[in-house]
Amino acid sequence: MIPTFIGLVTVAIGAWLLLRGTPLQLLCTMLAMGLFESSAAVILPALSGSSIPPPRFALGFLALALIQQLQTRSSLLREAVGANLAFVTFAAYGMIGAFLLPKIFAGQINVVPMRAGGLRHLTDTLPLFFSPQNITTGFYMAGTGLTAVLAYITCRLSPNVSLIVKFCVGIALAQAVTGIMGVALSGTPWDLVVDFVRNGSYSQPRQAAEGYVPITGFTAGTPAFSRLSIPWMILAFELWLRKISPAWTGLAALLLAAVLVLSTSSTAYIGLASYALLLDARFATLPRYLTADRIVPLAICVMLGFILVLGLVVFYGPAADAFTEMVDQMTVGKSSSDSGQQRMFWAMQGIDAFTFSMGLGIGAGSFRSSSLIMAIIGSMGVSGVVTFIASCAVLFLPRKPLEDKTRLAISESTAWAAVAGLIPAMVMLGAPDPGMEFAAFAGISLALRRPALEPLGARAPKRQS
């Protein structure tokens, strides 16, 4: 285990918050570290150079912060596990299966490993074998399940959760700004800063089409940037709909959405279009938060976007032609490219593995996919699919009304951010782990359905005779 400079910084921040901060501050800081998911806090040479990114490293500090609370509130852990039972079961099966299933089916099916060396053609495969990636993915699954439980406990203990809104705005704005800076400062020393931060063992491509520099921020590529950005954009927008710090959440959602549109990422476009369709279906039911002061700004933004696109086509044809060609190269044209065909082949491995294993799956981390749902199907079989669907469905079960409208609004917003934020992962993620953002949002949403627990030793108010 080799700590990096980023890992040392993570330790310093985590230790300081452990001594001086609150569990909610630790939780929000851990989520903010998700901006550096392509970084390595710790490198593990024994596992083929696998690394632990900062947010997963910071999870340990959150666990330490809650141990003392759980010593005096032992029932809270049972409550948290019960509330997140479907997802905890999903994560547990993923971890256990990662260690057992590839050994059970070893050599009986050919797959593309998570890290494959020596493959020369698009459809080359190797016999299934237990690898360090099974170990890494298994522990990642366990950490993701733990994230949901700890997020639930943290929010049950926090009477004021407005910090979540502040961090949402900060994370969304930081993601948008770093994306813009990567383009505006391309070819300057800023590239060295980005390369220093992206020290994880991931592919770090630098590509350009028609002179356009892809928007990547601190992530490993444009698809990863889109996958990380969309959940936060959705959360900011959902909070704006419910009038929670509307000036800041609206600005954050609008700016990040604009950056995603400019990214020319097919992952971003699929995510934005799918979420727009989902909003249309929800708005048709006239939810309570859809008021006139929400409808008018939305209509104005849609009209301005349409006018800008129309003006570009009419008044600046050459630029529109170049942009159209670039978009075709980077999105639609991918379906007939070698990359598109390879990703389709990777995704279809999930169906083959599911059928071969008779619905058991062949273990998390056993093969590379290009779709979260296909990875779950092939890696975790029927159990994984059922528990994951239940993990999403439980977020939308009827809830009791709360007097604290902020808790209610954040609960509803994080539920939509958790589920709708998975859309990019459905078309690009290579493993069955839905990620820490999903787990944290799910835990937060379930916890905020209930009032915060009173501090131990607090006196009950006297009844008036």
Side-chain angles (χ1 to χ4, degrees):
M1 180 181 293
I2 303 174
T4 67
F5 176 79
I6 293 174
L8 295 177
V9 172
T10 303
V11 170
I13 295 173
W16 190 85
L17 289 174
L18 186 61
L19 296 174
R20 299 294 183 90
T22 65
L24 185 62
Q25 290 174 334
L26 269 167
L27 173 64
C28 292
T29 301
M30 181 190 74
L31 289 172
M33 288 180 179
L35 293 169
F36 309 103
E37 67 168 17
S38 296
S39 305
V42 173
I43 298 175
L44 306 171
L47 297 178
S48 302
S50 297
S51 59
I52 302 175
R56 293 189 179 274
F57 199 56
L59 180 64
F61 290 97
L62 178 59
L64 290 173
L66 294 174
I67 286 177
Q68 184 177 1
Q69 296 283 352
L70 294 176
Q71 288 177 344
T72 55
R73 295 181 185 269
S74 57
S75 62
L76 184 55
L77 179 59
R78 293 194 297 271
E79 177 187 319
V81 173
N84 293 276
L85 184 58
F87 191 66
V88 169
T89 304
F90 171 82
Y93 184 79
M95 180 180 183
I96 295 171
F99 286 87
L100 295 181
L101 293 173
K103 295 180 180 179
I104 293 174
F105 297 111
Q108 300 179 47
I109 181 175
N110 286 3
V111 294
V112 178
M114 291 288 290
R115 287 191 178 181
L119 300 183
R120 298 182 178 181
H121 303 288
L122 298 181
T123 57
D124 281 355
T125 57
L126 294 173
L128 173 65
F129 62 96
F130 181 77
S131 73
Q133 293 306 305
N134 292 112
I135 300 174
T136 303
T137 307
F139 279 109
Y140 275 14
M141 295 287 290
T144 302
L146 181 63
T147 299
V149 173
L150 297 185
Y152 182 97
I153 294 172
T154 299
C155 291
R156 288 284 280 132
L157 294 171
S158 304
N160 184 356
V161 291
S162 59
L163 187 65
I164 295 174
V165 179
K166 296 177 182 178
F167 265 80
C168 169
V169 171
I171 293 169
L173 290 176
Q175 183 74 344
V177 170
T178 54
I180 294 170
M181 289 178 66
V183 176
L185 302 179
S186 178
T188 71
W190 175 252
D191 290 342
L192 299 177
V193 175
V194 173
D195 290 339
F196 174 78
V197 172
R198 296 192 309 190
N199 65 332
S201 54
Y202 310 94
S203 174
Q204 312 285 1
R206 290 192 181 277
Q207 299 175 344
E210 295 293 328
Y212 183 86
V213 179
I215 295 176
T216 61
F218 287 130
T219 65
T222 303
F225 178 88
S226 302
R227 182 182 62 81
L228 176 63
S229 299
I230 284 180
W232 290 108
M233 186 277 295
I234 292 174
L235 179 56
F237 181 76
E238 293 286 345
L239 290 169
W240 175 81
L241 278 177
R242 292 165 177 80
K243 302 179 183 179
I244 303 298
S245 299
W248 285 106
T249 54
L251 172 64
L254 181 62
L255 181 59
L256 191 49
V259 173
L260 285 168
V261 170
L262 294 175
S263 71
T264 69
S265 166
S266 56
T267 303
Y269 293 163
I270 291 171
L272 292 172
S274 300
Y275 180 59
L277 292 175
L278 185 60
L279 281 177
D280 288 341
R282 288 166 53 194
F283 288 170
T285 65
L286 299 178
R288 67 181 186 282
Y289 48 78
L290 187 61
T291 55
D293 58 349
R294 304 294 93 177
I295 296 175
V296 172
L298 280 175
I300 292 174
C301 288
V302 172
M303 291 176 61
L304 287 176
F306 178 77
I307 291 172
L308 287 174
V309 173
L310 185 61
L312 179 66
V313 173
V314 172
F315 298 106
Y316 201 53
D321 293 339
F323 184 80
T324 301
E325 183 178 354
M326 174 195 63
V327 171
D328 179 70
Q329 290 178 6
M330 303 184 73
T331 57
V332 180
K334 284 185 177 180
S335 60
S336 59
S337 67
D338 290 345
S339 174
Q341 294 176 17
Q342 187 176 52
R343 294 178 68 83
M344 178 62 70
F345 178 72
W346 288 348
M348 294 308 296
Q349 289 185 113
I351 301 297
D352 295 338
F354 179 88
T355 304
F356 172 80
S357 64
M358 295 176 289
L360 288 176
I362 60 174
S366 293
F367 71 95
R368 173 173 293 281
S369 184
S370 60
S371 163
L372 173 64
I373 190 63
M374 289 298 188
I376 293 174
I377 290 172
S379 301
M380 302 173 62
V382 174
S383 296
V385 173
V386 171
T387 52
F388 186 69
I389 292 175
S391 302
C392 296
V394 72
L395 300 178
F396 300 101
L397 292 177
R399 64 190 75 199
K400 296 180 180 179
L402 294 177
E403 294 183 3
D404 189 335
K405 301 304 180 184
T406 299
R407 290 180 76 89
L408 177 62
I410 297 176
S411 176
E412 293 176 345
S413 299
T414 48
W416 283 110
V419 176
L422 286 175
I423 295 171
M426 295 296 182
V427 297
M428 59 85 62
L429 203 61
D433 181 4
M436 295 183 73
E437 286 80 14
F438 172 84
F441 290 163
I444 291 170
S445 178
L446 292 172
L448 296 187
R449 292 181 173 193
R450 307 179 66 178
L453 294 173
E454 292 187 2
L456 290 176
R459 296 181 179 179
K462 295 181 179 180
R463 294 182 179 181
Q464 296 180 353
S465 57

